[in-house]
Amino acid sequence: SQQMWLADNLFLFTLITVCGVLQFGVVQHCRVTENARAAKRQGLKTVREKTRELIMSAHADYMTLLDLFKKCEAVYGEATPAGRQLKASADAVARNVKESDMLFIRYSLTIFEKYDANDSKALNSSEVKSAFTYFDIYLSSKQAPTVMCMFLRDMGLTTPKDESKVELKFSHFVGLLIDIEKYMLKHGSSSIREYLEASPPSKRWDVLARVFVPTFVSLQLIFIYACLPLGVYG
């Protein structure tokens, strides 16, 4: 009976150890991904002032940032014996826009278009919430539309009474990205779901492990002691 009790305990604790190793591996993988995505956001912040300048320039010329971005992309020059060569566009030269200035804006556009499935040139709060995870920014379903509306009002724009209907165009999407820290005040979440939604994947796995392991061990001990009167272990 004692051998059975020890064997069962050894098996269960071995299982917990294996699960712990797997959980550690998953968390580390998540951290590597999160750090890479955070680096993208930091890269965008390095060109923050130039990005703001481009957004203001686009608005002054009554065009979207997306249209201005396309105007500043490299164009083909005159034909040469070596073939047609790319060169900076006239708009890029006139506005003093470098390729390096547009590198992270180009990445932002890639993510924006990824979630603009209906090609509406705007993202709703759910799409913005998902897109922001590519920059290591995590918002809850309740927090995302509120943050978007606050940003738009700060820009002098109006927002819908039903905040869930708010949308961001590309220029506003990029503008919120570079100023997101202003709207990320930490506060107590009203529910566990909201707390987990606003947490990175690595933290979610960590919370899961902290809840699962003690619960599993407690249930194991309860089961074993409940079986003692039944004669299972003696």
Side-chain angles (χ1 to χ4, degrees):
S1 298
Q2 186 176 9
Q3 290 179 345
M4 288 176 59
W5 187 87
L6 290 173
D8 287 348
N9 270 275
L10 180 61
F11 170 76
L12 290 172
F13 281 116
T14 300
L15 179 62
I16 291 174
T17 302
V18 172
C19 290
V21 172
L22 292 175
Q23 185 264 349
F24 177 79
V26 171
V27 169
Q28 292 306 304
H29 172 73
C30 290
R31 288 299 302 149
V32 170
T33 302
E34 290 161 13
N35 289 338
R37 290 178 172 181
K40 296 290 195 309
R41 179 158 60 102
Q42 286 300 120
L44 185 60
K45 288 166 66 176
T46 61
V47 292
R48 174 182 293 174
E49 295 307 318
K50 190 63 180 182
T51 301
R52 286 201 181 106
E53 182 183 323
L54 289 174
I55 293 173
M56 293 177 62
S57 178
H59 290 168
D61 292 344
Y62 301 100
M63 67 173 72
T64 65
L65 179 61
L66 182 57
D67 291 334
L68 178 59
F69 177 79
K70 291 179 178 179
K71 285 179 175 290
C72 292
E73 288 189 312
V75 296
Y76 282 108
E78 297 179 358
T80 67
R84 299 187 69 185
Q85 305 292 314
L86 286 171
K87 67 174 185 178
S89 68
D91 281 277
V93 173
R95 300 173 192 272
N96 192 30
V97 178
K98 307 297 183 184
E99 293 269 352
S100 58
D101 296 332
M102 299 192 295
L103 181 62
F104 291 100
I105 300 178
R106 182 178 287 108
Y107 177 75
S108 302
L109 176 60
T110 300
I111 301 303
F112 183 88
E113 291 179 335
K114 174 183 175 69
Y115 285 95
D116 185 22
N118 59 358
D119 198 30
S120 63
K121 309 301 181 186
L123 300 184
N124 59 36
S125 60
S126 177
E127 292 167 336
V128 168
K129 174 178 172 292
S130 298
F132 272 17
T133 62
Y134 281 81
F135 300 90
D136 198 39
I137 300 169
Y138 303 92
L139 303 171
S140 68
S141 299
K142 180 180 178 180
Q143 188 181 15
T146 301
V147 167
M148 292 164 64
C149 286
M150 287 193 297
F151 171 75
L152 290 175
R153 288 193 293 269
D154 285 347
M155 293 286 292
L157 302 173
T158 58
T159 57
K161 183 177 180 180
D162 182 358
E163 291 187 340
S164 64
K165 297 184 182 299
V166 66
E167 293 185 330
L168 290 184
K169 295 181 179 179
F170 180 61
S171 60
H172 299 143
F173 175 80
V174 174
L176 180 55
L177 265 178
I178 60 179
D179 285 329
I180 188 64
E181 288 84 1
K182 298 178 181 178
Y183 304 92
M184 292 290 287
L185 176 65
K186 296 294 183 181
H187 55 83
S189 302
S190 59
S191 67
I192 295 177
R193 178 180 177 181
E194 184 180 345
Y195 171 78
L196 292 176
E197 279 186 328
S199 302
S202 60
K203 190 170 185 178
R204 295 176 201 169
W205 278 99
D206 186 58
V207 170
L208 178 64
R210 293 184 184 211
V211 172
F212 172 76
V213 173
T215 302
F216 185 82
V217 172
S218 299
L219 290 175
Q220 173 202 353
L221 294 175
I222 292 172
F223 174 77
I224 290 175
Y225 281 103
C227 288
L228 289 177
L230 301 178
V232 176
Y233 292 109

